[in-house]
Amino acid sequence: MNTKTIRLIQQEAAEALLNVGVSLPLKEFRLPFRKKPIVLRVTMRRPCMSGQIEIARTYLSMGVSSAEMEKFTKEEQMRFLADHGDKICRMIALTIGSTSLVKPLTWFVRHFVRYEYQMAAVRKFVSLMGTDPFIPIIRSAEKTNPMKLRLSQKKKGS
């Protein structure tokens, strides 16, 4: 396969994943007479535009790329967590619920979701979010520009 086809398949898979959502385990509870623990999960979906803008602002304010996060040493991970832990929880909370519920969801994520799940969720959503979904919208807006003369109007101009 050529790279354009592979990129198109990856983009469609990312779109489907963001629309369906990513299930995030929150907390495990063990009951006395049950072999398997009960796992509370929540689904992270693509937020509305205001949530996406807020996630982009929060991510850019951290000043670190996802590739740099993967190469962190233990000390750098601890420093990053101390400096930006609240921002990570806020980004996850924005993908879980509406912007009106961000503060309680941020508190919940901060206190009940394990760090590994938080970092994996941030990496996954940051890698999947981007401007690719807006490219077809911009192209269609260019084609339907009301100020531009259409094919049937070129002779008369009306």
Side-chain angles (χ1 to χ4, degrees):
M1 281 192 198
N2 61 13
T3 57
K4 187 176 181 181
T5 307
I6 292 171
R7 179 69 181 141
L8 184 64
I9 292 170
Q10 290 174 346
Q11 182 180 357
E12 288 176 5
E15 290 292 320
L17 184 62
L18 283 174
N19 290 334
V20 171
V22 176
S23 180
L24 181 70
L26 293 179
K27 191 75 175 162
E28 288 185 3
F29 294 105
R30 290 205 171 268
L31 295 177
F33 300 109
R34 189 176 167 109
K35 288 183 180 180
K36 292 184 180 179
I38 296 173
V39 180
L40 294 177
R41 302 179 81 82
V42 71
T43 303
M44 296 171 45
R45 289 188 173 87
R46 182 191 316 227
C48 60
M49 183 57 77
S50 63
Q52 289 183 23
I53 292 169
E54 190 65 30
I55 288 173
R57 285 183 184 153
T58 306
Y59 178 72
L60 292 174
S61 71
M62 290 191 295
V64 178
S65 69
S66 61
E68 291 172 354
M69 279 194 269
E70 292 176 3
K71 297 177 184 175
F72 278 171
T73 63
K74 253 323 181 198
E75 293 172 3
E76 290 172 334
Q77 286 178 359
M78 294 304 240
R79 185 176 318 280
F80 179 78
L81 183 61
D83 294 341
H84 305 293
D86 55 340
K87 293 178 183 178
I88 292 171
C89 294
R90 181 173 173 78
M91 288 170 54
I92 294 171
L94 284 165
T95 61
I96 293 173
S98 66
T99 54
S100 61
L101 299 173
V102 169
K103 287 187 180 181
L105 285 173
T106 302
W107 178 87
F108 188 79
V109 168
R110 188 178 302 135
H111 291 284
F112 291 107
V113 178
R114 292 176 46 189
Y115 174 72
E116 297 87 20
Y117 297 145
Q118 291 178 6
M119 292 307 293
V122 168
R123 279 192 208 114
K124 181 59 71 179
F125 262 80
V126 165
S127 68
L128 294 178
M129 284 182 60
T131 58
D132 293 340
F134 300 108
I135 293 172
I137 296 171
I138 293 169
R139 284 187 190 140
S140 75
E142 287 175 351
K143 289 180 181 177
T144 60
N145 185 356
M147 301 306 288
K148 187 177 174 184
L149 292 175
R150 302 209 191 301
L151 292 175
S152 64
Q153 298 171 341
K154 286 190 177 176
K155 291 180 183 175
K156 294 182 184 178
S158 59

